[in-house]
Amino acid sequence: MEKQSNPKKSSWIKGKCLGKGAFGTVSLAINESDGAVFAVKSVDLVTCLPNQLECLEKEIRILRSLSSPYVVEYLGDDVTRYGSTAMSCRNLHMEYMQGGTVVDVDVIKQRLGDLDERILRWHTRSLLLALKYVHGQGIVHCDVKGKNVLVG
C-alpha cells in the first residue's frame, strides 16, 4: 500500500487495484484519520494524454454536482505526489461499491446458478432510476455497459 497525502485533505492509503479503464486506474483506499474505505480513480499526470486528464476533470465536475442514491457518491479529489520523484496523480475519491460491477454479478451467476428474478428487477430498476436522474440533470452517459454499472 502506498501512502497518499494532501495538506488540504486527510491522508489516505492506496490499496489493491479494483480495475483499469480507458483513462485511469481505480483502487481501494482507506482514510487514515477515520478508517473509512472508498474507491479512488487515479490518472498519472506524467504519462497521461491531455484528453485523459480532461476526461477525469469532467467526471469530477459532474459527480460533484450530483446527489442521488442511484449514482456513485463523490467524496473528494486531490493530487498526490510520490516522494522526491516527478510522479504525481490526479485522484477522484468515490463511494466504494463492494458488490463490484454487474459483470462481476454475471460471473457469480455462472458459478452459483440463476439469480433470483426479484434481484434482477431491482438492479434494472436502479439503473433506470440512475439514468432518469442524470438525464434530468442534463447529462447523458455515453458509455453505459456492465463494467460501468456498480453494485452496492
Side-chain angles (χ1 to χ4, degrees):
M1 293 188 146
E2 303 169 40
K3 185 173 179 177
Q4 314 294 316
S5 66
N6 183 320
K8 296 179 184 175
K9 304 271 184 193
S10 59
S11 296
W12 53 279
I13 299 171
K14 185 176 184 179
K16 71 175 184 172
C17 177
L18 298 172
K20 294 183 181 203
F23 62 89
T25 301
V26 179
S27 301
L28 196 60
I30 301 170
N31 184 319
E32 286 188 307
S33 65
D34 64 7
V37 175
F38 60 97
V40 61
K41 181 183 277 189
S42 301
V43 171
D44 184 330
L45 293 172
V46 175
T47 61
C48 75
L49 299 172
N51 70 320
Q52 293 171 320
L53 181 58
E54 204 174 291
C55 285
L56 183 62
E57 293 296 344
K58 184 176 183 179
E59 185 173 358
I60 289 170
R61 282 191 308 275
I62 290 170
L63 281 178
R64 190 183 286 150
S65 73
L66 300 177
S67 179
S68 168
Y70 303 105
V71 176
V72 68
E73 184 181 358
Y74 165 85
L75 299 176
D77 60 273
D78 65 7
V79 175
T80 52
R81 295 189 187 356
Y82 298 89
S84 60
T85 68
M87 187 175 166
S88 59
C89 288
R90 181 70 169 114
N91 305 299
L92 163 60
H93 303 205
M94 303 172 286
E95 172 183 15
Y96 172 56
M97 304 300 284
Q98 62 187 8
T101 69
V102 293
V103 171
D104 301 326
V105 171
D106 194 44
V107 170
I108 292 167
K109 177 188 156 206
Q110 289 174 3
R111 280 192 235 139
L112 301 177
D114 289 336
L115 290 174
D116 188 315
E117 186 178 321
R118 291 172 296 162
I119 294 171
L120 294 174
R121 279 197 311 262
W122 185 84
H123 285 299
T124 302
R125 182 177 185 274
S126 296
L127 175 59
L128 292 173
L129 288 169
L131 289 171
K132 179 180 179 183
Y133 172 75
V134 296
H135 289 170
Q137 301 298 308
I139 298 165
V140 177
H141 193 300
C142 297
D143 197 19
V144 177
K145 60 185 179 187
K147 286 184 178 183
N148 290 338
V149 178
L150 300 174
V151 180

